[in-house]
Amino acid sequence: MRLNNGALLFFFLSKSSIDTSYGFVIPSRKAVIATSLLSRPEVYEINRKLDELADQCGNVEKPVVTIASEVEDIYHASKDKDIVSFNVLLKAWGRACQSLQRQKQKHVKYNIQESKSVPSIAVYTPRDAAEHLTKHLMEAEASYEKDPDGGLIAPDETSYNIAIDAWAKISVPDSTKAAERLLSKMINNPRLEPCSISYNSVLESHAHSSDLDSLERMNKIWLHMQNLASDGNKKLKPSLRSVILILTACVRMVDRLENVEEKMSCAQQAHNLLEDIKKRADAGATELTPDITTYSIVMDAYARIGTTEAALKAEDLMKEIKGVFEETGDYRRQPNFRTYTTLIGAWSRTSDSRAAVRAESLVEEMEELYAERMGKGKSLQPGEETTKPNARTFTTVLHAISRSHEKDKAKRALRILMKMRELAKNDSDCTPKIGAYNQAIDSCAKTRGDQVEALKIAFAVLKSVEVDDYVKPNEHTYSNTVKAVAFLLPTGPERNKLAKVVFEKAKKDGLVSKEVMKNMRKALDGEAMHQLKIENLTEDHKVPPAWSQNVYRYY
């Protein structure tokens, strides 16, 4: 059955009223496109086709540059186009930009030969896509300013927001400066008025930045937004999204700082911001009411410091948000698996003697709360997350155990690993990844109790990895196993033999890393190590490339 124009308009408006692809809520492109249907059907048809193609540019499995190039070719060839057409063109390149960034992060390279056509535009990287998008925007702006009465397309706030967001989503040098330049052009353009979306996108670019002054600049932008809002700018009402971006930047900064006092100061800065928005919310700015994500991020800032003092700060925040939830019953402020896993991580990074016990008790609490919640028989609210532990939670507990001083840490780690495997039979979220196995082996290596039993457990875990169809060993697997041999057996022929067995496995898998060689030097006696060098290393004492070809390298 063919729908008439009126029916098509209703279909588009009812099917999709918002678009969150750029990380914020904006009127859906389909809804905007549909509004031109009754007045200019020919423009509608072009915009609909362009939008369908632009959506595909967000699919990392697609030849996104080829598709975006096709959008551009259609746009330039069409006489029937408007500001919506132009913004869909920018959207195509913005999404292509993000897809290229995801491909880069996953080390995926799309084979252009698999595509039916070769892109007509030379764009290869996320930066290329962002620059190409910006070029379109600047050329359109220059053309309009040159002849404002000539019927040319005038870029609007959406045009600039798409461009700023493209730069915000990629990790390249100067992306923050590019985003700020575009925002500055909006501010200085009498035809345009930046909104919260514009400023939040710039904040996001700083949140992902490696610049040392990024956090300071974010605070200035946040203060500027508040001042403009106080002066009556309704488009710049401060939101929780702005706060979350700043808090996320604090977490990144804590990771980058080396001095514990500086780390604590940065985490405290995040905590101060939380306290500030709590006061504002109490004073009537309900849009700034902190939710569980806000609390979890501040806890994460403390969690990454690695001291007992910081872990206790995270504990205080957990206690506070529990109280808030009990008082309000608001599921948006209910501790979930992320909150608990963050707290477990805080303890796992410390050298506190209570860390492992506390980590395990927190998991038990998570399981009890989850059973209680599901036992109520009420369906989950949209967006509600439970306290059900997942693989990351259990792996974090294993990390706490491996760092602990517990004499039976090998058996405790094995118990956690076996529990994960059992739960995974019915819950894939609990399937242990290689990191969990590596932590278990590391726990064995550091055992100071029954060392013979610990060594048996270490090799049993290694064997489990080797026969598991869903996990593969990495360089840490072999490094930790060699370390277990070095630490758990006395010097002698048996230790030499076992270490060489593991070394041969690493060689075969191309996973002989520097850490593997370092632990081999600890495991083998002088004569055995000398013999290994003669038999295995090159003349310049390097490991042959084939033996380390699968070692992950951080770039």
Side-chain angles (χ1 to χ4, degrees):
M1 179 179 71
R2 184 176 179 83
L3 298 176
N4 60 34
N5 285 352
L8 274 172
L9 174 62
F10 174 78
F11 172 78
F12 271 107
L13 291 176
S14 60
K15 287 292 285 183
S16 182
S17 60
I18 60 171
D19 185 346
T20 57
S21 60
Y22 285 95
F24 41 73
V25 178
I26 59 174
S28 168
R29 189 65 55 222
K30 290 182 176 62
V32 174
I33 289 170
T35 59
S36 64
L37 175 57
L38 297 179
S39 59
R40 299 181 64 192
E42 68 283 357
V43 177
Y44 159 76
E45 288 297 337
I46 290 295
N47 290 346
R48 182 182 61 80
K49 182 176 182 180
L50 291 174
D51 193 60
E52 288 176 353
L53 288 170
D55 283 342
Q56 295 181 39
C57 293
N59 188 340
V60 72
E61 303 298 329
K62 297 271 189 180
V64 295
V65 174
T66 300
I67 298 171
S69 298
E70 185 178 351
V71 170
E72 184 162 331
D73 291 341
I74 295 172
Y75 175 82
H76 286 308
S78 175
K79 295 180 180 179
D80 300 313
K81 53 195 174 190
D82 57 12
I83 183 59
V84 176
S85 318
F86 179 70
N87 285 340
V88 174
L89 168 63
L90 299 185
K91 169 187 170 182
W93 283 111
R95 289 193 170 184
C97 179
Q98 294 178 36
S99 293
L100 290 169
Q101 178 67 24
R102 291 197 295 272
Q103 289 177 358
K104 177 183 176 183
Q105 291 169 342
K106 294 179 179 180
H107 303 284
V108 173
K109 200 169 185 178
Y110 185 83
N111 185 358
I112 197 66
Q113 301 303 323
E114 295 176 4
S115 175
K116 295 180 181 179
S117 60
V118 177
S120 59
I121 298 166
V123 169
Y124 306 101
T125 67
R127 176 187 281 279
D128 290 343
E131 288 178 341
H132 190 72
L133 187 164
T134 306
K135 180 182 176 183
H136 273 299
L137 178 60
M138 293 298 99
E139 288 179 348
E141 186 67 64
S143 297
Y144 177 79
E145 289 179 356
K146 186 176 181 179
D147 186 12
D149 299 321
L152 299 173
I153 290 173
D156 60 10
E157 284 88 350
T158 299
S159 312
Y160 278 85
N161 287 342
I162 291 173
I164 294 172
D165 187 69
W167 284 105
K169 292 290 195 298
I170 61 176
S171 302
V172 298
D174 299 329
S175 60
T176 55
K177 292 181 180 179
E180 286 191 345
R181 278 196 299 270
L182 288 167
L183 177 60
S184 179
K185 288 181 180 295
M186 290 184 76
I187 293 171
N188 294 322
N189 191 325
R191 197 182 71 251
L192 305 174
E193 187 176 4
C195 60
S196 295
I197 292 172
S198 317
Y199 281 91
N200 282 341
S201 292
V202 175
L203 285 175
E204 184 176 3
S205 73
H206 281 291
H208 298 154
S209 173
S210 298
D211 295 338
L212 292 173
D213 65 342
S214 59
L215 185 55
E216 181 181 353
R217 293 191 66 79
M218 290 180 78
N219 287 325
K220 290 180 178 179
I221 293 170
W222 169 244
L223 181 60
H224 181 62
M225 291 174 69
Q226 293 179 76
N227 291 337
L228 289 174
S230 298
D231 291 341
N233 190 325
K234 295 181 179 180
K235 286 189 174 184
L236 272 172
K237 198 171 185 179
S239 68
L240 203 55
R241 173 169 169 76
S242 309
V243 174
I244 287 174
L245 288 168
I246 297 171
L247 294 178
T248 301
C250 287
V251 173
R252 283 175 55 90
M253 186 61 71
V254 169
D255 273 342
R256 295 175 62 194
L257 296 171
E258 296 182 3
N259 184 280
V260 172
E261 290 183 0
E262 291 178 345
K263 287 175 178 282
M264 184 63 85
S265 176
C266 189
Q268 187 61 55
Q269 183 178 335
H271 200 160
N272 292 342
L273 179 55
L274 172 61
E275 293 299 321
D276 180 57
I277 64 170
K278 281 164 56 181
K279 292 177 182 177
R280 290 171 177 269
D282 290 341
T286 54
E287 68 279 359
L288 290 176
T289 300
D291 59 7
I292 191 58
T293 299
T294 317
Y295 274 87
S296 297
I297 296 174
V298 179
M299 289 172 63
D300 194 27
Y302 282 120
R304 293 168 184 262
I305 296 174
T307 65
T308 300
E309 180 187 1
L312 291 173
K313 288 277 190 180
E315 286 275 10
D316 290 341
L317 285 167
M318 173 66 92
K319 183 178 179 180
E320 179 182 320
I321 194 60
K322 281 181 180 178
V324 171
F325 174 63
E326 289 174 6
E327 180 182 341
T328 64
D330 185 351
Y331 73 89
R332 292 168 298 183
R333 306 171 85 178
Q334 174 184 358
N336 55 38
F337 71 93
R338 289 189 178 87
T339 321
Y340 275 92
T341 301
T342 297
L343 182 55
I344 293 170
W347 284 108
S348 74
R349 293 182 177 93
T350 73
S351 300
D352 196 288
S353 59
R354 300 165 291 178
V357 174
R358 181 57 178 148
E360 291 185 81
S361 69
L362 284 167
V363 170
E364 292 174 4
E365 183 178 324
M366 292 173 72
E367 292 172 326
E368 290 171 2
L369 288 171
Y370 176 68
E372 180 183 339
R373 173 65 182 86
M374 302 311 292
K376 291 180 178 179
K378 296 181 180 179
S379 59
L380 297 176
Q381 297 287 337
E384 180 182 359
E385 292 182 320
T386 68
T387 59
K388 182 172 70 70
N390 59 18
R392 183 178 178 183
T393 309
F394 287 114
T395 302
T396 307
V397 174
L398 285 169
H399 185 223
I401 292 173
S402 73
R403 287 176 56 87
S404 73
H405 303 292
E406 306 293 333
K407 290 185 178 181
D408 61 342
K409 66 168 70 178
K411 290 190 288 187
R412 294 170 74 163
L414 179 62
R415 185 171 65 247
I416 295 292
L417 189 60
M418 295 300 291
K419 182 176 184 177
M420 292 177 72
R421 290 168 64 92
E422 186 62 30
L423 290 172
K425 292 178 181 178
N426 300 308
D427 183 3
S428 60
D429 288 342
C430 291
T431 303
K433 296 181 173 60
I434 190 60
Y437 289 97
N438 291 346
Q439 291 292 347
I441 296 174
D442 193 49
S443 296
C444 295
K446 296 174 181 176
T447 293
R448 293 296 173 264
D450 189 338
Q451 296 186 327
V452 173
E453 182 182 37
L455 186 63
K456 290 179 180 179
I457 293 173
F459 274 88
V461 173
L462 177 62
K463 185 65 177 178
S464 296
V465 173
E466 292 174 337
V467 300
D468 196 317
D469 294 331
Y470 300 100
V471 70
K472 292 182 179 180
N474 61 20
E475 61 269 27
H476 303 297
T477 313
Y478 292 120
S479 175
N480 288 352
T481 307
V482 174
K483 182 166 64 176
V485 172
F487 288 1
L488 301 175
L489 282 178
T491 304
E494 184 179 3
R495 193 165 92 174
N496 291 341
K497 180 180 177 181
L498 277 178
K500 288 180 179 179
V501 168
V502 179
F503 183 74
E504 290 300 322
K505 291 176 183 288
K507 277 173 52 178
K508 181 180 177 182
D509 290 343
L511 291 169
V512 178
S513 64
K514 291 181 179 179
E515 196 67 23
V516 169
M517 291 303 300
K518 176 183 175 181
N519 286 323
M520 282 298 291
R521 283 190 284 272
K522 294 177 181 178
L524 300 181
D525 58 36
E527 183 177 346
M529 189 65 200
H530 179 69
Q531 188 63 31
L532 179 125
K533 288 181 178 180
I534 293 174
E535 295 175 355
N536 295 290
L537 302 189
T538 59
E539 290 183 1
D540 56 356
H541 300 289
K542 292 184 178 179
V543 173
W547 296 354
S548 60
Q549 62 183 349
N550 294 321
V551 173
Y552 182 78
R553 290 170 174 81
Y554 299 89
Y555 295 100

